[in-house]
Amino acid sequence: MLNIQRINNSNYIFNRNNTKVNETPSKNNALCSVPMKSVDSANLMAYHPSFTSNNTIETQPSEKKQLETVLSKLDKQTKEVVHRLDQRGILANTDSNDGSSVLNNLYKIATEPRIRGLSDKQILTEVINALDNPTSITQKFGDIPNEIANEISQETQSPFPEQAKNVISSSCVVASMEFNLASKKPAEFVRFAQGLSGKDYSVDKNIKMSAISNGTLSSLWHLREFNTEYKISNNWDDVQIKIKPDRNAIVRARVQSSYKDPNERSCVDVLIQSALLNLGSQHTYDAITDERTGKFNSDKSGLTDFEKNFVEEVVFEQPKISVVYQNLDENGILTGYNCELSEMKQHILKSLELGENVIVGYTHLDENKQVNGGHEITITGYKQDNQGKGYFICNDTDDNKDNLIQISEEKLLPVIHHAGISKAALSENDVVIEAWREIVDEFQKMLKEEQK
């Protein structure tokens, strides 16, 4: 879900030569319950995830042995998918944060402990199918059956929230990032799936401070304000960041392991999306209700463009600029654009030329051009028909389709509110104002006023 705050803000605002531009028209229950509330030492063991009794393999065998072990866990159809991935060179891909390959991490899933209630065979199958067709990744929540809700309620000794049984997902931002991982960085995608479903229930990222934002002080500010768990090296250039889901993601993942319906999220989708939402919401996300709090958002759903930009930088280890294109007034009414639509198009096309997908947030506008919602999708390509009409090739994690779609540029460009753009995709004439500190101060003042 695209989260547009009442004040038209972002950590970055785009203008060309500081000139305002005129407006352009427009089953089997394998679940072990986990408490939903905070715990004390008395029930900590019940709260912490439990694991299957597989013995961890500390020595890494040959690639041939790893592949044989992975294949031994799979059915005939999934084995065929693995062979197809091997032919495409995906199993050997090592574009991960620690240099491990797709095959290395598949082998770990097959041989190391998984969280109890999650099957190593199921995790393997879900990961392999997502690698084969990343457009199958979805944001749609599954329903929580009454018997599971009652079990959780008994353990927590509190009523189960009714709104949590049938959630309308607001995880389009992080589902788009998950799609980008699977399609652009397959080894890192499998490493995430392995770490989040394994004994540590987390993934560590070792990145440069410059990948988060410009300058060490700015990076430290972001890490602290987002309540990120991190360690800095002695040279103050490298930082290790821990990414982990909230505890209730275990409940959601276990439910999906036994009650998944067509077009709903897989266990892997649940864990990755919950981890990224938790990171962006300053570790305030609750996977049961799909709600968050946090200091940068007065709405309980989704991530703002400011939060989305931080998560995208951490996940892809590359500094991004959250370029805001639409100019909204205090009532959320579109009053114009911060650059020409042709320039917006060039930012996107340049990003595609650099080999980058572009996650964009677009707004739903009523007849008065007032924002009444929004969505995030990923632009993966561009084409023109015989008449010269342009189309963006896009992935939508909420359209119930396992394929890419086409959206005409004349339809999409006017509704794009923001996009994560690398500096390399901006021209020398683009003036970018980094105003995130002022925006955070303004939001916190607004929040204090509301709490009086």
Side-chain angles (χ1 to χ4, degrees):
M1 176 179 177
L2 172 66
N3 193 306
I4 305 295
Q5 297 177 13
R6 288 183 305 161
I7 53 175
N8 183 34
N9 60 17
S10 171
N11 53 329
Y12 297 97
I13 299 174
F14 172 83
N15 285 284
R16 180 179 176 84
N17 297 332
N18 296 319
T19 302
K20 185 175 180 180
V21 181
N22 292 332
E23 178 182 340
T24 302
S26 67
K27 321 154 175 179
N28 176 32
N29 180 10
L31 181 75
C32 294
S33 295
V34 180
M36 295 173 55
K37 56 186 180 181
S38 60
V39 296
D40 53 28
S41 57
N43 61 9
L44 182 60
M45 291 304 295
Y47 182 69
H48 195 277
S50 55
F51 302 93
T52 51
S53 59
N54 303 47
N55 292 324
T56 300
I57 306 298
E58 296 183 357
T59 58
Q60 187 167 282
S62 67
E63 291 183 357
K64 180 180 178 181
K65 181 62 177 178
Q66 290 182 56
L67 181 57
E68 289 175 351
T69 301
V70 170
L71 291 174
S72 70
K73 298 274 187 175
L74 306 174
D75 59 27
K76 181 180 178 180
Q77 183 178 0
T78 312
K79 287 178 181 177
E80 293 175 354
V81 178
V82 171
H83 288 306
R84 188 159 63 240
L85 293 175
D86 192 20
Q87 292 174 350
R88 292 161 54 189
I90 292 179
L91 293 186
N93 181 277
T94 58
D95 188 15
S96 65
N97 185 256
D98 62 2
S100 57
S101 69
V102 167
L103 180 58
N104 296 155
N105 287 295
L106 289 176
Y107 178 74
K108 286 183 179 180
I109 295 173
T111 58
E112 296 183 2
R114 297 300 103 196
I115 296 174
R116 189 178 301 279
L118 302 185
S119 161
D120 53 1
K121 295 180 181 180
Q122 184 173 6
I123 296 293
L124 280 171
T125 299
E126 291 177 352
V127 167
I128 290 165
N129 287 332
L131 289 174
D132 187 49
N133 181 17
T135 61
S136 64
I137 292 170
T138 181
Q139 68 185 74
K140 291 185 179 293
F141 272 50
D143 62 299
I144 295 182
N146 287 329
E147 60 266 32
I148 303 301
N150 292 335
E151 183 182 346
I152 295 171
S153 181
Q154 290 174 5
E155 187 164 344
T156 61
Q157 297 183 349
S158 61
F160 187 84
E162 287 297 319
Q163 75 271 23
K165 292 183 179 179
N166 291 285
V167 172
I168 299 176
S169 168
S170 61
S171 63
C172 54
V173 177
V174 292
S176 296
M177 293 184 197
E178 184 191 356
F179 163 80
N180 273 352
L181 274 177
S183 58
K184 290 292 188 179
K185 297 173 72 72
E188 185 71 346
F189 169 74
V190 187
R191 194 178 77 91
F192 263 69
Q194 192 285 126
L196 297 178
S197 65
K199 60 184 178 63
D200 294 328
Y201 195 55
S202 63
V203 175
D204 289 333
K205 295 274 291 187
N206 294 292
I207 65 178
K208 297 292 184 183
M209 294 285 275
S210 57
I212 302 173
S213 62
N214 296 319
T216 301
L217 291 178
S218 175
S219 298
L220 286 173
W221 185 92
H222 280 80
L223 291 170
R224 287 196 300 265
E225 290 298 312
F226 276 87
N227 297 330
T228 312
E229 188 175 338
Y230 68 94
K231 297 178 182 177
I232 299 177
S233 64
N234 292 333
N235 62 12
W236 284 81
D237 187 34
D238 301 305
V239 59
Q240 183 184 81
I241 297 174
K242 186 174 291 294
I243 302 173
K244 55 188 177 183
D246 69 298
R247 292 296 180 182
N248 285 334
I250 300 173
V251 177
R252 282 285 182 189
R254 287 168 175 162
V255 168
Q256 291 307 97
S257 72
S258 299
Y259 298 96
K260 181 181 181 299
D261 294 321
N263 296 319
E264 288 181 353
R265 298 190 302 173
S266 68
C267 299
V268 172
D269 294 339
V270 170
L271 294 173
I272 292 179
Q273 292 174 30
S274 297
L276 300 186
L277 272 165
N278 207 32
L279 176 65
S281 65
Q282 305 93 61
H283 292 267
T284 65
Y285 181 66
D286 184 347
I288 290 290
T289 59
D290 192 39
E291 293 181 349
R292 45 72 55 89
T293 52
K295 65 185 73 175
F296 303 131
N297 193 357
S298 57
D299 197 322
K300 292 184 178 180
S301 60
L303 296 178
T304 66
D305 49 320
F306 173 64
E307 294 167 328
K308 172 251 188 187
N309 201 70
F310 172 74
V311 177
E312 194 171 9
E313 288 181 328
V314 171
V315 171
F316 295 98
E317 306 163 37
Q318 180 185 29
K320 292 278 187 177
I321 296 176
S322 183
V323 183
V324 174
Y325 294 106
Q326 288 185 333
N327 196 352
L328 308 177
D329 67 13
E330 61 183 7
N331 297 313
I333 296 176
L334 178 64
T335 60
Y337 297 88
N338 291 318
C339 73
E340 299 287 351
L341 297 187
S342 60
E343 294 178 85
M344 184 194 308
K345 175 182 174 181
Q346 287 306 309
H347 295 163
I348 296 171
L349 294 183
K350 180 61 176 179
S351 297
L352 296 174
E353 289 175 7
L354 294 171
E356 303 171 5
N357 290 342
V358 184
I359 300 176
V360 301
Y362 68 83
T363 52
H364 299 304
L365 301 172
D366 62 19
E367 63 277 6
N368 297 316
K369 296 187 178 179
Q370 183 169 24
V371 175
N372 58 14
H375 187 42
E376 301 260 352
I377 60 174
T378 305
I379 298 176
T380 67
Y382 178 81
K383 62 178 291 188
Q384 288 184 323
D385 62 17
N386 295 334
Q387 287 73 44
K389 185 176 181 179
Y391 295 86
F392 289 109
I393 313 301
C394 305
N395 181 66
D396 188 341
T397 59
D398 196 31
D399 63 0
N400 293 326
K401 296 179 181 178
D402 290 350
N403 55 269
L404 298 174
I405 60 175
Q406 294 183 182
I407 306 177
S408 67
E409 62 178 270
E410 63 183 11
K411 178 180 179 181
L412 183 58
L413 288 175
V415 297
I416 292 178
H417 175 265
H418 64 264
I421 305 292
S422 64
K423 281 191 175 181
L426 299 175
S427 72
E428 295 179 356
N429 294 324
D430 294 333
V431 179
V432 179
I433 305 170
E434 302 182 12
W436 48 266
R437 287 189 185 275
E438 290 81 2
I439 289 162
V440 170
D441 289 342
E442 184 175 354
F443 178 78
Q444 291 178 339
K445 289 178 182 177
M446 181 186 74
L447 208 58
K448 289 179 180 178
E449 288 296 323
E450 290 180 347
Q451 293 172 348
K452 287 183 179 179

